Amino acid sequence: MFRSFSVFNYRVWFIGALVSNVGAWMQATAISWVVLTELTDNDAAAMGITMALQFAPPLLLVGITGWVADRFDRRRLLVVTQSVLLLLGIAIGILIFAGVMTLPIMYAFALGLGVVAAFDNPARQAFVSDLVSRENASNAVALNAASFNGARMIGPAVGGLVIVAVGTGWVFVLNAVTFLAMLAALLLIRTHELIPRVKAPGSARLADGFHYVARRPDLIVTFAMVFLVGAFGMNFPIFASTMALEFGQEADGFGLLSSILAIGSLAGALMAARRDRARIRVVIAGTLLFAAAATVSAFMPTYWTYAVTLMFTGFAVVTMLTTANGYVQTTTDPALRGRVLALYMAILMGGTPIGAPIVGWVADEFGPRAAIMMGAGAALVAFAVGATWLIVSGRLHRHERRRFRLTLDETRPMSVIPPEEFSDQIAQTTPLRPSSERRAS
């Protein structure tokens, strides 16, 4: 489960990322609280605009950000993005301390955070493959997800306590301090131990990532499933908050639901870390489990029974997303990995501005249970897309010797080629010796 920790660079990265993730969840809680209670009178629409401004840039800038992650040194790029995020956090805190923060200014900062994150996210995701060997990449991705969800259990609670104790401004300052841990980790990484990677040549085009995905039906199916679940099924703040109100709970009850969801998410990430590598069949099974868990949760009669079902919901969605991320990383041409991961992150995060308003409207008009069922329906459609592809592609077929038994072939056979990673671009330029020379040797 923890085999990637045997690599010094990954251990340093994991610790820095864990501390930084706690700060990120603290800041996310504080932004929501500031917009809803200090800058507006509980205006949910303003919160929706703030979310859209943060999530839209990764979608709009997907071609550029992926190309940058492939073209330049990812460690140095992360030093730049993490430093800018640190400065933005300090600036927000200072403006709140000074009492001059306004809603339009917060919108501007939300857009700035989104733009920086658009460059930071694909570089972060692809950098994992620079830290560990290809056979351990899936495990490293799963442990990253465990770090993210472990921080999700701690960050919102700590952020809430800091807000009550000393005010929202200090949350942004503390988040800025947590970025120092990530910067220190990046500086401590032993560059000579990084895995050699294929850099995109200067003539590489922004559209190469799109063309590559277009030739990979398995990636298209994976992206389609991720989009459906991300857009309509992962609106947990809407689901949990509206269900908490339906059960007569206050803000503490809503926060507890978020922590319980994170428990299941952490378990899913750790289970994914135990698998030898990521398989698309697990992604497909995860969508079905998510659809089932969400459907059951929509019919729960009490607060605590609903809370219990959230653990299974969190387990299912993280199993799906962690495996999808690992599958994309470990089966993508290294020279194009940054651009493909940028497209993956854009599809995952870009679905939120599309699906969240629709889900919110359904919750307002028909109640939170209908909104949850909508998310479950989207997951069921995602499962149908994946299952149909398995059948049409011929990977799911009747067993050769047993008449009533089905067998499932590997979705994408892959061999690991040590010590350097294989690339289509290398293959096109590597000379082959004549057969006579090979026989002589």
Side-chain angles (χ1 to χ4, degrees):
M1 183 183 295
F2 302 103
R3 55 187 179 274
S4 294
F5 286 155
S6 62
V7 180
F8 171 82
N9 282 345
Y10 186 79
R11 290 199 304 272
V12 171
W13 164 265
F14 182 89
I15 295 172
L18 178 61
V19 176
S20 180
N21 285 333
V22 171
W25 279 109
M26 291 172 60
Q27 177 167 284
T29 302
I31 289 178
S32 300
W33 188 258
V34 168
V35 172
L36 289 174
T37 65
E38 298 183 18
L39 303 180
T40 67
D41 184 18
N42 297 329
D43 188 348
M47 189 64 246
I49 294 173
T50 305
M51 291 180 62
L53 289 171
Q54 293 181 78
F55 286 106
L59 178 62
L60 299 176
L61 302 175
V62 57
I64 298 175
T65 57
W67 177 80
V68 169
D70 280 333
R71 183 71 180 86
F72 298 100
D73 185 286
R74 291 166 186 160
R75 187 180 70 89
R76 294 179 180 177
L77 177 60
L78 287 171
V79 169
V80 174
T81 57
Q82 294 292 300
S83 298
V84 175
L85 290 172
L86 183 154
L87 294 175
L88 288 174
I90 292 178
I92 295 174
I94 290 174
L95 291 178
I96 292 176
F97 286 138
V100 297
M101 176 62 75
T102 63
L103 187 59
I105 294 177
M106 183 60 82
Y107 284 163
F109 274 106
L111 180 61
L113 291 170
V115 170
V116 179
F119 288 90
D120 184 79
N121 287 332
R124 259 186 187 244
Q125 299 293 328
F127 189 58
V128 173
S129 299
D130 298 342
L131 297 171
V132 298
S133 59
R134 191 169 189 174
E135 58 267 26
N136 287 330
S138 178
N139 173 257
V141 169
L143 291 176
N144 277 2
S147 167
F148 180 81
N149 287 285
R152 189 179 186 178
M153 296 169 57
I154 302 170
V158 174
L161 290 175
V162 173
I163 291 174
V164 173
V166 293
T168 53
W170 285 105
V171 176
F172 295 96
V173 174
L174 290 175
N175 174 58
V177 173
T178 63
F179 280 113
L180 296 176
M182 177 60 82
L183 290 171
L186 291 169
L187 295 176
L188 287 173
I189 283 176
R190 300 168 181 168
T191 55
H192 64 280
E193 294 182 7
L194 292 175
I195 305 300
R197 70 182 180 93
V198 180
K199 293 184 179 181
S203 60
R205 298 173 301 169
L206 300 179
D208 287 346
F210 294 93
H211 296 325
Y212 179 81
V213 173
R215 299 193 301 268
R216 290 277 304 273
D218 55 331
L219 290 184
I220 294 175
V221 170
T222 302
F223 286 7
M225 291 189 291
V226 166
F227 173 78
L228 288 169
V229 175
F232 300 100
M234 290 179 58
N235 296 287
F236 298 121
I238 297 176
F239 299 149
S241 61
T242 52
M243 287 295 284
L245 290 175
E246 179 165 311
F247 291 126
Q249 298 292 318
E250 300 295 338
D252 56 344
F254 165 54
L256 181 59
L257 290 178
S258 298
S259 296
I260 292 174
L261 176 73
I263 293 173
S265 301
L266 179 61
L270 292 176
M271 288 295 294
R274 290 180 59 88
R275 301 186 185 97
D276 56 346
R277 65 184 179 91
R279 293 177 171 86
I280 197 172
R281 66 181 72 172
V282 179
V283 179
I284 298 172
T287 60
L288 181 61
L289 179 59
F290 175 78
T295 301
V296 172
S297 71
F299 291 94
M300 289 297 100
T302 66
Y303 173 83
W304 287 109
T305 54
Y306 173 71
V308 170
T309 61
L310 284 185
M311 288 192 290
F312 296 96
T313 302
F315 177 86
V317 74
V318 169
T319 295
M320 174 202 171
L321 294 182
T322 301
T323 307
N325 189 313
Y327 181 78
V328 172
Q329 290 226 36
T330 56
T331 65
T332 298
D333 190 315
L336 297 166
R337 184 172 293 144
R339 276 162 285 182
V340 175
L341 283 171
L343 182 59
Y344 170 83
M345 295 302 298
I347 289 174
L348 174 61
M349 301 176 67
T352 299
I354 299 173
I358 300 174
V359 172
W361 176 81
V362 171
D364 287 336
E365 294 294 324
F366 305 102
R369 298 179 187 274
I372 295 173
M373 287 300 298
M374 183 179 184
L380 194 59
V381 173
F383 169 75
V385 170
T388 301
W389 174 75
L390 280 181
I391 297 173
V392 172
S393 65
R395 288 167 173 80
L396 181 64
H397 53 84
R398 184 179 299 175
H399 195 275
E400 295 180 356
R401 293 185 297 274
R402 300 185 182 181
R403 183 176 181 182
F404 298 104
R405 182 176 175 180
L406 297 176
T407 183
L408 182 63
D409 294 337
E410 291 292 336
T411 53
R412 186 170 177 82
M414 178 186 68
S415 59
V416 177
I417 304 178
E420 60 182 4
E421 295 202 61
F422 179 82
S423 167
D424 289 342
Q425 296 185 11
I426 291 179
Q428 293 168 3
T429 58
T430 301
L432 295 177
R433 292 181 300 168
S435 59
S436 57
E437 292 185 17
R438 292 199 300 269
R439 285 194 298 268
S441 59

